[in-house]
Amino acid sequence: MLAVAALILGSSVNPGAAAPPTAAAPRVDDFQLADQDYVGRRLYKMKDAKAIVLISYAAGDDAVRRDAKTYMALKAGYAPKGVEFMMIASVPGETRDKVKRDTKAAGIDIPILFDYEQLVGDSLNLRRAAELVVIDPRTWIVAFRGPAGSKSTKAALDALVEGKSIALAAEPSRGRTIAYPLSAPAKKAQISYAKDVAPIVQEKCAVCHQSGGLGPMKLTRYEEIKAFAPMIREALR
């Protein structure tokens, strides 16, 4: 999966070096993940929502449990106003049975999206559990990120519900650190275009993405793959 991560996490594919580190961009790219009930949730399908709230989740995390009532209060107050709430589980090793037990004990009734490859959590720069991200679906810009109990959380949601644009300063979250081993420089340095990326493209993509194929562009050479790396990254997500 390191080769796939290279395509997704990097803006381009380098034949001999690691992909550049992911930046904490204010705009959120599209993604699709399945929740604890195997329901697929695609971010950009929620474009008609007033706001979207994403919360980084870790089973057994003290900060998540302390903030559980706040999450549910926010959902009760803003979901009827058109705000979507989801949690992102990017910690390696999380299972649906474990998560269901933990969220039931904490009183959390929110879709938990399983980010097994850590691609979404890394792209969102979710480095700690219990971090809340408020997104404006009109622009896919982050309006606020920080703890659920911050006054800025409600300020951002109130503004978006009223149709106003807003961008508030980020605040630190209090949950445990989430490690992203695939995005570590040492791991990325092991990725080779010839050994890792090219075989995947040849097996999965080039049948259609070649001259005379059904694909809309060719993906048969390094230069072509590099040029379409951002599109490949989004499609894989």
Side-chain angles (χ1 to χ4, degrees):
M1 298 308 296
L2 288 176
V4 176
L7 289 173
I8 295 177
L9 298 177
S11 60
S12 62
V13 182
N14 189 316
T22 301
R27 189 177 190 276
V28 179
D29 291 333
D30 193 15
F31 64 82
Q32 179 170 312
L33 295 172
D35 66 16
Q36 68 268 45
D37 297 315
Y38 297 96
V39 176
R41 311 273 181 170
R42 183 173 177 180
L43 185 68
Y44 281 18
K45 286 286 187 180
M46 304 176 190
K47 62 183 180 180
D48 294 328
K50 294 292 185 180
I52 298 170
V53 174
L54 303 178
I55 305 166
S56 56
Y57 170 84
D61 182 74
D62 290 338
V64 171
R65 292 196 172 188
R66 284 196 304 268
D67 289 348
K69 290 184 178 179
T70 304
Y71 302 152
M72 296 311 299
L74 288 170
K75 180 182 176 183
Y78 288 95
K81 298 178 182 180
V83 178
E84 294 281 353
F85 288 81
M86 297 178 290
M87 303 185 82
I88 309 291
S90 297
V91 176
E94 301 280 41
T95 66
R96 282 177 167 79
D97 288 341
K98 178 182 177 182
V99 166
K100 285 184 176 182
R101 289 194 301 269
D102 183 69
T103 52
K104 183 177 180 180
I108 296 174
D109 182 18
I110 295 174
I112 312 289
L113 310 188
F114 283 78
D115 183 24
Y116 289 124
E117 302 298 334
Q118 296 193 304
L119 302 173
V120 173
D122 195 28
S123 70
L124 291 168
N125 202 32
L126 297 175
R127 293 300 185 257
R128 288 187 177 274
E131 182 173 14
L132 177 146
V133 180
V134 180
I135 301 170
D136 182 350
R138 297 170 301 174
T139 59
W140 303 112
I141 296 295
V142 173
F144 172 70
R145 65 188 305 146
S150 169
K151 293 181 180 179
S152 293
T153 299
K154 289 189 175 182
L157 290 174
D158 287 338
L160 294 180
V161 166
E162 294 174 6
K164 301 175 182 177
S165 297
I166 191 169
L168 301 175
E171 299 176 17
S173 58
R174 301 163 295 176
R176 79 172 195 241
T177 300
I178 300 175
Y180 289 87
L182 281 179
S183 65
K187 290 289 186 180
K188 289 184 179 180
Q190 299 173 17
I191 299 171
S192 162
Y193 170 78
K195 294 181 180 179
D196 300 309
V197 179
I200 294 174
V201 175
Q202 184 175 0
E203 179 183 357
K204 304 292 185 181
C205 313
V207 173
C208 292
H209 292 277
Q210 61 176 294
S211 296
L214 297 176
M217 68 282 195
K218 291 199 300 180
L219 295 175
T220 56
R221 296 166 52 247
Y222 165 73
E223 291 77 11
E224 295 163 348
I225 295 168
K226 179 179 179 180
F228 286 105
M231 183 184 296
I232 294 170
R233 184 174 65 244
E234 181 173 346
L236 288 174
R237 281 202 189 114

